[in-house]
Amino acid sequence: MDQQPITSPVAPQALSGHGRWHHLWREIVRNRWAYVFISPFYVLFIIFGLFPVGFSLFLSFQDWNGVRPMEFVGLKNFEFLLGAGGRVFWQSITNSLILFVMYVPIMTFTAIVLAVLLNSPRVKGFQVYRTLIFAPYVTTMIAAGITFGLMFQHNGGLFNLLLQGIGLNPVPWLEDIWWARVSLCILVVWGWLGYNMVLMLSGLQTIPHELTEAAMIDGASAVQAFFRITIPLLRPIILFSVVLSTIGTFGLFNEVMSLTNGGPVRATTTPLVQIYNVAFGDFRFGRASAQAYVYALLIFVLTYLQFKYVDRDTG
């Protein structure tokens, strides 16, 4: 058998500048088929991921309606946003904060309770319950929003018929500012409760049952064990879920467009809906791009602060 000569590999760091490029090129040529097979992902990522981000930044300094030539306006789009012209955008930020307060605590607590119940060995057939609760998450939100819109109709809607059936007055679910927000929260909780429950359930399955059993043997009730054992150990998952809910609240789009269309009186308009309206309603792509970057910066700051809080508590 012929033996191949043994050559000692040369570390790329030990090569000169020209040698490193030559070594890199040889590695690329040697693995060319692997790069060919993974290249579609990177090509699509560049076209549909990186290019829109860069082009949006370019547009934020332009005045352009999509038809006439672009006009460079410098920071005027951002100045407009920070002045009286940005009132609707900042109202959309306020709407998102209100929606966050209205539904995230309820959804998070309900997800924890459901996860604890399904994690109990006393519950039989928990896979069926888990599937039923998770099913809305895989449902098309546009279809769900239209269906909820029909059920929330003032005249002839299912919810008002039920209220009238027990002797209560009908509720203006979609016509009143606060009831419209409540209706949107109900739809969001219905759609996202299962996803958050799965997050909590995955966290609970990492907590040994022996800790809770030991606490109950020492005299703690089930409620005390829940609040003093389960919740503290589950805190990283809870905060992670809250971070996702924060991003999701500011990014609500399908739910709003299919249920309330941002109304009434823009009470349910979220930042993404406002950016969409400015871009494809008013055809002010420069201002929409400036709003998108301010929105992204706000989300980045909120996410950073929440992850910093998580690191401080779990580090």
Side-chain angles (χ1 to χ4, degrees):
M1 177 182 291
D2 295 336
Q3 294 185 343
Q4 297 293 331
I6 300 174
T7 58
S8 59
V10 180
Q13 295 81 357
L15 299 175
S16 62
H18 177 73
R20 281 199 297 269
W21 284 109
H22 183 68
H23 175 76
L24 177 62
W25 177 249
R26 280 198 310 171
E27 288 297 314
I28 292 174
V29 171
R30 189 168 67 88
N31 300 297
R32 58 188 179 281
W33 291 113
Y35 288 119
V36 167
F37 284 117
I38 66 174
S39 61
F41 166 78
Y42 290 100
V43 171
L44 294 176
F45 176 71
I46 291 172
I47 294 174
F48 297 105
L50 291 182
F51 175 73
V53 172
F55 189 60
S56 179
L57 179 61
F58 173 74
L59 280 181
S60 66
F61 300 104
Q62 309 288 327
D63 182 15
W64 189 46
N65 65 356
V67 178
R68 62 179 173 77
M70 298 181 188
E71 179 185 355
F72 180 75
V73 294
L75 296 175
K76 286 187 177 179
N77 288 327
F78 293 95
E79 293 174 358
F80 177 84
L81 189 60
L82 297 175
R87 182 174 50 84
V88 178
F89 175 75
W90 294 112
Q91 181 186 345
S92 70
I93 297 291
T94 304
N95 291 338
S96 294
L97 291 174
I98 293 172
L99 291 172
F100 177 85
V101 174
M102 287 179 67
Y103 83 86
V104 169
I106 296 174
M107 182 176 69
T108 304
F109 181 76
T110 307
I112 295 172
V113 172
L114 289 174
V116 170
L117 292 175
L118 294 182
N119 194 48
S120 172
R122 299 176 182 176
V123 177
K124 305 299 181 185
F126 73 93
Q127 295 92 340
V128 176
Y129 300 117
R130 185 178 58 189
T131 303
L132 291 176
I133 297 172
F134 188 76
Y137 175 70
V138 297
T139 304
T140 305
M141 196 52 69
I142 294 293
I146 294 173
T147 305
F148 271 75
L150 294 174
M151 293 193 294
F152 281 129
Q153 288 294 318
H154 189 269
N155 296 319
L158 176 62
F159 291 106
N160 277 343
L161 289 177
L162 292 175
L163 290 176
Q164 290 174 321
I166 57 176
L168 298 177
N169 293 324
V171 171
W173 293 102
L174 302 177
E175 291 79 15
D176 179 78
I177 291 175
W178 284 100
W179 280 113
R181 288 170 174 161
V182 171
S183 303
L184 183 60
C185 290
I186 292 173
L187 174 61
V188 174
V189 170
W190 177 85
W192 289 91
L193 177 62
Y195 176 79
N196 285 274
M197 183 206 67
V198 170
L199 284 180
M200 303 301 174
L201 192 58
S202 64
L204 284 174
Q205 290 176 349
T206 64
I207 301 175
H209 287 289
E210 291 78 7
L211 294 177
T212 304
E213 292 173 357
M216 297 183 73
I217 291 173
D218 290 340
S221 64
V223 175
Q224 288 175 324
F226 174 74
F227 284 104
R228 297 189 179 184
I229 301 293
T230 304
I231 294 296
L233 293 176
L234 199 60
R235 181 177 295 177
I237 301 297
I238 295 173
L239 290 176
F240 178 69
S241 172
V242 172
V243 169
L244 293 182
S245 297
T246 304
I247 299 173
T249 304
F250 282 84
L252 286 176
F253 184 82
N254 290 339
E255 296 86 346
V256 176
M257 297 300 284
S258 60
L259 184 62
T260 64
N261 199 25
V265 203
R266 298 195 179 98
T268 57
T269 299
T270 56
L272 276 194
V273 174
Q274 171 59 16
I275 292 169
Y276 174 84
N277 289 335
V278 173
F280 300 102
D282 301 337
F283 294 100
R284 306 299 296 263
F285 293 105
R287 289 180 182 175
S289 299
Q291 291 181 1
Y293 268 89
V294 172
Y295 160 72
L297 179 62
L298 180 63
I299 292 297
F300 174 80
V301 171
L302 289 175
T303 305
Y304 172 77
L305 292 176
Q306 288 177 314
F307 269 109
K308 185 178 180 180
Y309 180 66
V310 172
D311 290 339
R312 190 180 67 181
D313 277 15
T314 60

